Amino acid sequence: MKDKKPILGYDRFLMMALLKEGPLSLEEIDDKTMLFLSLIWYQQIPQKSQPLMEKLFFTFAHLRSELEDRRVARKVGATAYECQKLVEMGWVKLDDGLYSLTPEGLELAEKFVQHMEKKAALVRKDFFKPDAAAKNTTFLDAFLAVLKLGSGLVSGSVGLTADGTDATMDTVSAFMVWLGIKYHRETLSTLLVIFGLFFASLNIGYDSVTHLISAYYGTLTPMGMPYLVIVVEGIAIMAAVFLFYYQRYVGKTNSNLTLISQSVDSKNHIFIGFSVITGAIFTLQGIYFVDSIIALVIAIGIFKDTTDLLQEAILARRGEEEDYSHYKLPLEETWEGNKMMAFQNWILYILWSGQEKTRPEIVSSLKTVFSPDNYIPVLSELNASVKEVHDFDEIFDDLVIPLEKEELLILEEEIYALSDAGSKYLENFISNFDYYDVHTSDTILLAMAEDSSNQQ
């Protein structure tokens, strides 16, 4: 049997659940599975109303999932099938409709839990500490500098070479920031980043103006190998999106102005990347000045952002309390929205069996499963489960009214039932996780959604 079907992340999930709360019935295991899936916040599909940065993030998150998870041999079967597989492996036993661990399975499940706890500790240490974020930024900036400079020299693209030079400066700046945070010279590190941003805004503005003048007099050199430029800048944009969210998250949760400053720089690189790509596209059409106009607008925006950062740095230097409120924590609203979505998914799920429920019954179920004491494998180890006590009586209408408007559930004489559209929605939602597994990148993303009550 071991040769026929590999052990999946879901199998580890099942054994961790049985270790902490077994014996469990198949229904109880399904309940815990649905609860876990509903709290995987980054698997949601980008919505039209979302800001551009969030759309980019979720698009890249889905792309990452496609690349890491889409292997037919790793498709997760139904819960009953996966449990039966574990029974045949000799790790789980079934007695009177309840699944529990065998001695061999108990030993293995303990290893799974210890591994996840160790992984969670490493993620917090190696990713979510300010010095770790600065170090990781340095390495990623160095990679981008080599990529852009190399491609710029090969393609003969002046814009890409200039962007690569800027990325080289970012690498040096990031390294100095890393040293500054490590040796507690953060004010100096912050001023260094701000100086770099001022220089970048002036440099981009100057290049934009000179390119526009050259275009006006017909002496502008066209971009070479625009397709290569588009591919390289596409990779750079994905890296910049990651760095923006990563630096802003660590900076905001640790009240670190240096990392917040770097996140502003990363955001600017996203727009610069789009500017270069836009220029490459127009170059293919024989139009060579569009990217210069866009770059000039970006330069003005960078200068404004840098001025705001300098004011914060001056306040910090004077010993006054910094105001980080206008630097929004990335995806904070998304995390809160996903909690509401998780509550709504649970309401639809408990109606899925065909059993009709009253309002008090639904509220009681929500209070039970979303209790801070309810163990959820993986999420509990990462402190990413719901830790706050919610007043479901108070927010009940906020949960069910949108479901009624979407015709996902039906209300008749104070009795709630699932509609056909609701059943289809749940089937599509669960199928989105057919190949899902918890990789290192998932661990990082899940840890980012650590409950707000646990964040600094």
Side-chain angles (χ1 to χ4, degrees), residues 47-66:
Q47 303 295 320
K48 292 181 179 179
S49 59
Q50 284 179 316
L52 173 62
M53 294 294 291
E54 289 189 11
K55 285 184 179 180
L56 284 173
F57 180 88
F58 286 113
T59 299
F60 295 150
H62 277 269
L63 177 61
R64 174 208 60 85
S65 181
E66 291 286 330

Side-chain angles (χ1 to χ4, degrees), residues 23-275:
L24 296 172
S25 67
L26 187 62
E27 181 180 356
E28 290 172 325
I29 294 174
D30 276 331
D31 290 351
K32 200 165 288 291
T33 301
M34 184 63 189
L35 185 57
F36 172 77
L37 298 183
S38 294
L39 291 170
I40 308 298
W41 61 273
Y42 52 86
Q43 283 291 101
Q44 63 174 278
I45 299 173
Q47 303 295 320
K48 292 181 179 179
S49 59
Q50 284 179 316
L52 173 62
M53 294 294 291
E54 289 189 11
K55 285 184 179 180
L56 284 173
F57 180 88
F58 286 113
T59 299
F60 295 150
H62 277 269
L63 177 61
R64 174 208 60 85
S65 181
E66 291 286 330
L67 293 174
E68 289 186 334
D69 295 331
R70 288 289 174 178
R71 301 180 186 131
V72 175
R74 291 186 171 275
K75 183 174 181 179
V76 176
T79 305
Y81 172 75
E82 297 298 336
C83 287
Q84 181 59 32
K85 181 181 69 177
L86 295 177
V87 170
E88 294 178 10
M89 296 289 290
W91 296 339
V92 171
K93 59 183 179 180
L94 176 61
D95 294 317
D96 298 326
L98 296 176
Y99 291 93
S100 60
L101 295 171
T102 63
E104 183 182 356
L106 179 64
E107 182 179 350
L108 196 59
E110 288 175 344
K111 291 181 180 179
F112 291 155
V113 171
Q114 291 170 2
H115 175 73
M116 183 52 63
E117 289 174 344
K118 182 179 179 181
K119 203 172 186 180
L122 286 174
V123 164
R124 295 189 186 96
K125 176 185 176 183
D126 294 340
F127 286 93
F128 295 142
K129 297 293 184 182
D131 59 332
K135 178 182 67 175
N136 296 333
T137 296
T138 301
F139 289 132
L140 189 51
D141 278 342
F143 165 76
L144 292 175
V146 172
L147 179 66
K148 291 179 180 180
L149 278 175
S151 301
L153 293 174
V154 170
S155 66
S157 169
V158 177
L160 190 55
T161 303
D163 199 12
T165 303
D166 186 39
T168 303
M169 291 183 59
D170 286 340
T171 304
V172 176
S173 174
F175 179 71
M176 298 302 293
V177 167
W178 179 17
L179 293 179
I181 293 176
K182 186 175 181 179
Y183 294 106
H184 308 291
R185 296 290 187 272
E186 296 182 35
T187 301
L188 182 61
S189 301
T190 302
L191 292 175
L192 179 63
V193 174
I194 291 174
F195 173 78
L197 286 170
F198 268 125
F199 181 82
S201 66
L202 295 175
N203 186 52
I204 294 171
Y206 175 78
D207 286 343
S208 301
V209 172
T210 55
H211 277 71
L212 286 172
I213 293 173
S214 297
Y216 179 78
Y217 287 106
T219 60
L220 182 64
T221 303
M223 179 186 299
M225 300 180 68
Y227 289 111
L228 176 62
V229 172
I230 291 172
V231 171
V232 171
E233 285 295 349
I235 295 172
I237 287 171
M238 288 190 286
V241 169
F242 166 76
L243 282 175
F244 167 73
Y245 282 104
Y246 178 44
Q247 293 162 340
R248 181 63 60 87
Y249 174 85
V250 179
K252 185 71 181 287
T253 54
N254 290 278
S255 298
N256 189 293
L257 184 60
T258 306
L259 290 174
I260 292 176
S261 302
Q262 284 190 308
S263 75
V264 173
D265 188 33
S266 296
K267 181 183 70 174
N268 294 331
H269 276 291
I270 296 171
F271 297 121
I272 291 171
F274 278 119
S275 172

Side-chain angles (χ1 to χ4, degrees), residues 278-296:
T278 302
I281 293 173
F282 275 94
T283 295
L284 293 172
Q285 307 300 319
I287 305 173
Y288 308 126
F289 62 87
V290 174
D291 60 328
S292 298
I293 297 175
I294 298 174
L296 182 60

